[in-house]
Every structure is written in structure tokens, then in C-alpha cells.
Amino acid sequence: MKFSTFALALAILPPFSAHAADTQTMLAGPRQAVQQADYRISGHLVRVDANGTRTSYDFSIKAHWFSNVLKILAEVTAPADAREHILLEMRPNGQNSIHVAHPGDKAMVAIPFDKWGDGPLGPGFSYEDLLEQQYFWPGQVALESVRRGARDCDVLKSTPGAADKTHYSEVRTWLDHTIDFPVYVEKTLKANGTVKEFTYFDLRHDGGVWSASQIEEKTHGQAGSTLLIINRGSPKANLSLGDFSPESIIHF
């Protein structure tokens, strides 16, 4: 099965029909996807620079919802000198955390909040982008219904509250009107107003869920892009707390 995020939540969604562009209806599918998450995926994170040169990292991700917290374990597996394990915890109350471990470490180390905008290949797909926390922010407004490509979409504007740890001032999500699945997202950075675009490709319905096989990130005013390419995955991985234990995370 091909699969998209963290989309970061990373974008496994159950079938859901949104027949009206009201906020609660639009949020129901994405929130349910997070609160039913139990998946594994693997693929490549690829940075394409202005000259077309590609830098690729292999990765795997597993995620599971445990009683008011989504645990996501992202593992960079190649190249060898870039190996790291990243544990992300997303809570609807905004009290999120990100920890990292490298080969030889005796314990996980918290990534400081000012580094959440970084990532293995730079800020394109940042650590924070794997959290996909915007669907639980207190500010949610249904905007216009528009056509994007071949799809009719409802646009959702999400804004964080004071308690939410995020580098974004707002996130706008274009949700397919009939399946409540994101096809395009714009995230605006607090620091300078820069907008990051995320476009979802090759949407498919398989095993009762909607997914995308690739997400492309582009930053306004910057050449190049970052690609999240999914090769395979399982939407029902039967994960447990042991899959996210400190002992398993520091084991390479």
C-alpha cells in the first residue's frame, strides 16, 4: 500500500463525506484519522536543489494513538552517517514534544523548540511538520469552497492558541469536498510570513483508507523542493506502547 503524514499524520484518513463546508464537518475526518492512527510506512525524503541535484534519505515511520496522545517514531535509516530516531508526541492540548536519539546514545534528548523548524534535509519537511497538530488548534474557520485541479475543495484556516507550541501563525488546508482528505496545504511561518506549500499526489483508496504516495513541499521565494515519497505501508500495524519505548528508540 502507498501512503502519505505526518501526513505528518501523516495522511491516512478513513472514508468520510463532507457535504457542507462547515468547520466541524471539515474537521471530523482529519481528527478521526489522528485518533485512529495505527500505521507503518517507509520511503524516501528527497531534497531537490535549484540545480536539480537530489539528496535522498531513507526513512520509516510508525504511529499510534494512545489515550489523548499521538506517538510518532520516525527513523532515518540511510545514509549511515545520518541515522537518527525521532520520537514525536502530539497532544490536542498543544503540549507537544520531540526527542531524538543517535547511534551510541544512552538516552533520548529533547529537541529544543527553536530547532523544531529544522529537519534531516533542512526546513522543507521540518520535525514540526510531522506533528500535523493544526487540526486541534482552537482557531478553526471554514473559508471558501474552490476548485483545485480536478477536485472540489473546502478550505479550512487553522490558527494556534497561546498554549500551542508551533512556529506557524496559520495553516490553510484544501480538503477534497467528498472525502475530507487534504490535497494542498499552506503553512505560514510566524517569524517572517514565509509560506510553505505542500501538494499531495496520487491519492488512492485502499483497505478502507485514503492515502497519497507523494507529498511535495515548496517554499515561497526559494528554488528547489523537498519530496516525501512513500514506497509501502500498513494502515493497521497493531502497534503497542512497547514499539515506542525508550529502550527501542535508542536501539540501532
Side-chain angles (χ1 to χ4, degrees):
M1 170 189 171
K2 291 186 177 180
F3 174 80
S4 157
T5 78
F6 240 69
L8 151 182
L10 287 211
I12 270 187
L13 290 175
F16 184 88
S17 294
H19 296 295
D22 66 274
T23 304
Q24 293 307 310
T25 300
M26 293 167 68
L27 284 168
R31 286 181 175 177
Q32 184 181 16
V34 173
Q35 293 170 334
Q36 294 182 353
D38 177 37
Y39 61 80
R40 297 178 186 266
I41 61 173
S42 61
H44 307 279
L45 189 63
V46 181
R47 173 64 184 171
V48 184
D49 68 18
N51 298 318
T53 302
R54 298 167 72 92
T55 303
S56 179
Y57 286 10
D58 296 344
F59 75 91
S60 65
I61 294 174
K62 54 187 177 184
H64 189 93
W65 176 261
F66 296 98
S67 183
N68 216 38
V69 57
L70 176 69
K71 291 181 179 285
I72 304 168
L73 180 58
E75 301 182 356
V76 178
T77 56
D81 61 356
R83 295 174 68 198
E84 64 178 5
H85 294 172
I86 307 147
L87 177 66
L88 306 98
E89 295 184 336
M90 194 282 291
R91 295 172 174 82
N93 64 5
Q95 297 306 299
N96 307 319
S97 63
I98 306 177
H99 291 77
V100 65
H102 299 96
D105 287 351
K106 302 301 182 182
M108 294 182 294
V109 177
I111 297 179
F113 175 66
D114 62 356
K115 301 295 184 183
W116 284 20
D118 296 339
L121 287 178
F125 268 98
S126 69
Y127 297 121
E128 183 176 342
D129 289 325
L130 295 175
L131 287 170
E132 293 290 6
Q133 58 185 315
Q134 65 269 16
Y135 301 119
F136 295 91
W137 288 344
Q140 305 287 347
V141 178
L143 301 180
E144 70 273 18
S145 295
V146 298
R147 187 96 173 156
R148 185 167 182 86
R151 298 181 179 274
D152 293 319
C153 297
D154 298 321
V155 184
L156 176 70
K157 177 183 174 181
S158 306
T159 52
D164 292 296
K165 296 173 66 176
T166 178
H167 290 287
Y168 295 115
S169 60
E170 70 172 52
V171 175
R172 298 192 181 205
T173 306
W174 279 246
L175 293 161
D176 183 289
H177 183 77
T178 58
I179 61 175
D180 213 22
F181 187 91
V183 299
Y184 176 74
V185 176
E186 290 185 351
K187 299 183 178 183
T188 303
L189 290 165
K190 289 179 180 178
N192 52 20
T194 297
V195 175
K196 294 166 60 176
E197 300 179 347
F198 298 80
T199 305
Y200 294 69
F201 295 99
D202 191 19
L203 303 189
R204 61 183 61 202
H205 189 246
D206 184 16
V209 299
W210 282 95
S211 63
S213 64
Q214 180 173 302
I215 306 173
E216 180 182 38
E217 182 278 336
K218 292 185 176 181
T219 302
H220 287 191
Q222 298 181 18
S225 63
T226 307
L227 304 173
L228 180 67
I229 301 170
I230 307 304
N231 294 333
R232 56 187 177 275
S234 171
K236 298 297 180 182
N238 297 315
L239 299 169
S240 68
L241 278 171
D243 292 292
F244 303 88
S245 68
E247 295 80 13
S248 66
I249 294 169
I250 63 174
H251 179 72
F252 284 78

